Amino acid sequence: MAKFNAHTILDLISNLISNLITPNAGAAGTHPIDPALRGPPLEYQKSSKLVQLPEDILLTIAHRLTLADRACLLRTCRYFRELLEAVQYRHLDLSNPPLYYRTDRLHRTLSERPDLIPYIITYRGPITAGTLLEPIKQKPQRIRSLLGRRTAPQPQLYTVAVSGAESFQRAISIFPNAVNIRELGFVDGTDWASNPNWEPITSAIPNLSLTHFSLLIASESAEVVPQLQAQPELEHLELSWVPARLGDLKETDIPKLRFLRATLQDAATIVPGRPVEEFHHVLRPEELGLDEHLVQKLSLSRGPITTLVTRLHHPSDRDSVRNVLQVFACHLPELQNLTLIVMGEVSGQIMRFRHFGLSAP
């Protein structure tokens, strides 16, 4: 049995803490600790064992909390507010309820505290609150049972909430100052061509150095090429089911793109000559068949494409599904990961294919 003395145990603890606060450079999901966030020890720090932990460890713990949980921790005391306030605004994901419905509150805070805007690295959510369905607060109805009183499930009711001009102007004034954003995703529809009020946003995006960009286009007249041409470091691009105007996109634009989520029509323009390795096919409502000519364009990726996510829109028979698989197998021979999202029903037997050198169980 190995023997451990006090010095050996201290060394083990020291190494463990060192590994915790100094993650590997290639580790996914890790975030470097910003030394500028560290402040001098405060007097009230001594009243709690938690706040007596090294700030590096506290920051590492905070990075692993959700946005809502970190907000709760931030409100517990002045020490955590001073330590974590900048961390709270680094990665903002408001794409899902209930945070989606608090977008205007966030924009109001940022307009009142512009010193927080440069901390934003990731933003995913609506540009403005817009017109959306807001859940109505309801008092829970209680029913009696043998086990006592309990809350009965009830359907959620919604009402339409419309933001005013003040809310919109407050929102668009934030992004021109968010110069450190690297991952930007707008989840509400944008119609830049017909609405000049979006000009502060469209002129601000080329000044950012983005690695991830997601845009929900609401009109085929929307011009996105100027925004893409200004992003030489872009690796991840997501577009909506409405085709974008990409005719002016040059072969030298977005040279590092590896992930693309778009319609087949847009992908046929973007993929050739770029190192795209993963493609998520966005199915248009009127797209009932598969255009083999467009799929052939995907084979011109410098990746090559090894991961594909696509949809089958109400497949009518086994042959139509088999034809789709054969088209992808013919033009994407390096495919390793295939995900089929079936909009309807399909026989499990059709999945016993060997077109890609694989067989379903």
Side-chain angles (χ1 to χ4, degrees):
M1 179 180 297
K3 295 183 179 180
F4 296 92
N5 54 35
H7 294 288
T8 304
I9 295 177
L10 289 176
D11 290 339
L12 289 173
I13 296 176
S14 177
N15 292 334
L16 189 63
I17 294 177
S18 177
N19 292 333
L20 176 63
I21 65 177
T22 311
N24 296 329
T30 58
H31 305 280
I33 302 301
D34 187 354
L37 298 179
R38 305 174 190 172
L42 304 175
E43 288 298 327
Y44 52 83
Q45 216 175 331
K46 303 176 182 178
S47 62
S48 171
K49 293 186 179 297
L50 177 61
V51 297
Q52 291 179 26
L53 291 173
E55 292 179 359
D56 285 343
I57 295 181
L58 292 175
L59 288 170
T60 302
I61 295 173
H63 277 307
R64 286 161 171 76
L65 298 177
T66 64
L67 197 64
D69 291 341
R70 195 184 304 124
C72 294
L73 179 61
L74 187 144
R75 291 195 295 266
T76 57
C77 66
R78 188 174 65 180
Y79 172 70
F80 280 132
R81 180 175 61 83
E82 294 178 355
L83 180 66
L84 302 179
E85 189 173 50
V87 178
Q88 177 69 358
Y89 291 91
R90 282 184 175 180
H91 304 282
L92 301 174
D93 188 350
L94 309 173
S95 57
N96 296 315
L99 294 179
Y100 184 94
Y101 303 108
R102 300 180 184 179
T103 302
D104 186 60
R105 179 188 297 182
L106 169 67
H107 293 166
R108 187 184 300 274
T109 299
L110 294 176
S111 63
E112 296 173 353
R113 292 282 312 278
D115 58 299
L116 296 174
I117 297 178
Y119 287 112
I120 303 176
I121 297 176
T122 302
Y123 181 89
R124 184 173 180 82
I127 297 178
T128 180
T131 302
L132 47 82
L133 294 179
E134 186 176 51
I136 300 177
K137 294 183 179 180
Q138 306 176 73
K139 293 184 179 180
Q141 300 178 355
R142 298 187 177 277
I143 59 175
R144 292 186 178 276
S145 67
L146 296 177
L147 299 178
R149 299 171 67 89
R150 62 182 180 89
T151 303
Q154 49 187 327
Q156 178 66 61
L157 302 179
Y158 294 88
T159 184
V160 176
V162 182
S163 64
E166 180 183 356
S167 174
F168 178 81
Q169 295 299 327
R170 182 166 51 242
I172 65 174
S173 66
I174 293 172
F175 293 96
N177 299 319
V179 295
N180 294 318
I181 288 183
R182 297 296 176 264
E183 301 181 9
L184 181 62
F186 293 134
V187 299
D188 49 0
T190 57
D191 189 1
W192 294 345
S194 62
N195 191 344
N197 292 327
W198 297 107
E199 195 275 334
I201 300 291
T202 58
S203 60
I205 292 178
N207 298 325
L208 304 177
S209 180
L210 299 177
T211 59
H212 290 61
F213 187 32
S214 176
L215 185 63
L216 182 58
I217 301 172
S219 171
E220 294 188 16
S221 62
E223 181 64 74
V224 298
V225 171
Q227 285 71 37
L228 297 180
Q229 289 178 331
Q231 306 302 331
E233 302 298 321
L234 192 67
E235 300 178 357
H236 184 114
L237 176 62
E238 298 184 33
L239 299 175
S240 64
W241 57 268
V242 178
R245 292 173 57 187
L246 300 171
D248 296 332
L249 195 66
K250 300 178 181 178
E251 295 181 358
T252 55
D253 297 333
I254 49 177
K256 297 184 179 181
L257 189 68
R258 297 186 179 278
F259 177 99
L260 176 63
R261 182 180 183 274
T263 63
L264 196 56
Q265 178 179 339
D266 286 345
T269 303
I270 297 174
V271 169
R274 296 180 175 85
V276 177
E277 299 175 348
E278 182 170 349
F279 172 54
H280 289 222
H281 179 200
V282 177
L283 194 67
R284 302 181 63 186
E286 67 275 13
E287 187 177 352
L288 301 178
L290 192 65
D291 190 330
E292 186 172 355
H293 176 70
L294 296 179
V295 175
Q296 186 178 5
K297 295 285 187 178
L298 303 182
S299 64
L300 302 179
S301 169
R302 291 192 291 109
I305 294 179
T306 59
T307 300
L308 171 67
V309 177
T310 187
R311 287 171 169 79
L312 301 178
H313 189 79
H314 298 292
S316 57
D317 52 46
R318 182 178 301 182
D319 290 338
S320 63
V321 178
R322 184 181 291 107
N323 291 338
V324 169
L325 299 178
Q326 289 176 344
V327 169
F328 283 122
C330 176
H331 299 291
L332 301 176
E334 303 295 330
L335 203 60
Q336 300 176 5
N337 303 293
L338 173 65
T339 300
L340 295 177
I341 302 174
V342 180
M343 311 290 287
E345 299 180 356
V346 64
S347 171
Q349 294 295 325
I350 196 62
M351 300 310 298
R352 296 184 176 273
F353 60 94
R354 297 182 178 274
H355 303 301
F356 301 99
L358 303 173
S359 60

